[in-house]
Amino acid sequence: MNPLSVVVRKGCDIFAWFMVVFGANVIIHGDLTPGGGFQGGAIVATFLTFLLVAYGGNRLLSWVNERFYTSLVGFGLLLFIGLAFMGFPTSFFYNFVSVTHEAAMAGGAHGIIPPSGTIALMDIAVGIEVAGGLSLIVIYMFKGIRLYETSPVGTECGHDR
Amino acid sequence: MMQLLHLCVLVLIVLAGFFAIWFRDLLSSALALGAFSLCMALEFYILQAPDVAIAEAAIGAALSTVIYIIALRACGQIRKGNGGGVK
Amino acid sequence: MKKTMFIAAALVLGGIVWGVLDNVHPFGDPLKTPVDDYYIAHALKDRSSENIVTSLVFDYRGFDTIGEAAVLFTALCSVTALFRQGGRRD
């Protein structure tokens, strides 16, 4: 894809970062407002598609680092399953830091962790994983169509043909 | 009033789905699918499911449209004749 | 022969669809099960999460969320395998 005009590029510059902030807002308020990890992660993954549409693949693929997104996917999944395992003396997926609603209303919440406990933390973990995964899918699909131009003829390169 | 808005959204969903099939041009068809997803998100919001509405708007209207357009671009390179690796 | 089979299949399918659509709840009046009442009554009180949907997804139905994460990871793996660079890298 060729880069679009300067108006579209500047607009996407501003709006892409706005989408990151909005997605983070949806993720970290997942236990209070509608939304959650999956929805917020999908909104954050819109950042890369904005830049891909505005700037084209040639410039975008020199900016992104796939290992970063791969580490996001791995970190999110491990954090999610690790949080599930941490409630283990009772059971898998036991919510071990939550307080009841009366105690939270009376000021019994503990510090920086929200009173809903692992629900909010798992929201953040799943949000990180989904953001990395959907961004990585878009990156790999765009690199896949560039294989036609860059790979040598006759060697094995993607697409069954 | 709310019933009228609901009816308009339902008619828009049917229209967008019809045009997604009716267009001969595949790019127009993919954009019609994006409009379909947008109207679907509005419908979910009217039916009081904002979670599903956010997910539908982010994935259906933004990500899947971009993925369809990327796939169409790859198919266009195949059709031009110089794309395939093995001749 | 083909026309009679088509008519028979259309009758059977039409009967099934009509029988299903005849039993759908009216709009705005969903079926109320005891589980719904339990979740609505206890989700906010026990977990102090004001979004009951998130409380369901991440606490009461945690295994389903692990399945959802596995589905996304499988999709990522399949996309990576389909669009791989492949061959030996030198």
Side-chain angles (χ1 to χ4, degrees), chain A residues 56-66 139 142-143 146:
Chain A
N58 288 329
R59 295 181 66 181
L60 183 79
L61 290 182
S62 65
W63 290 341
V64 299
N65 186 6
E66 293 157 15
I139 292 173
F142 196 78
K143 284 184 81 170
R146 277 163 54 95

Side-chain angles (χ1 to χ4, degrees), chain B residues 25-28 30 67-77 79:
Chain B
D25 186 17
L26 286 179
L27 183 63
S28 309
I67 285 178
Y68 281 141
I69 289 175
I70 288 173
L72 281 180
R73 190 177 143 83
C75 293
Q77 279 180 346
R79 205 177 296 126

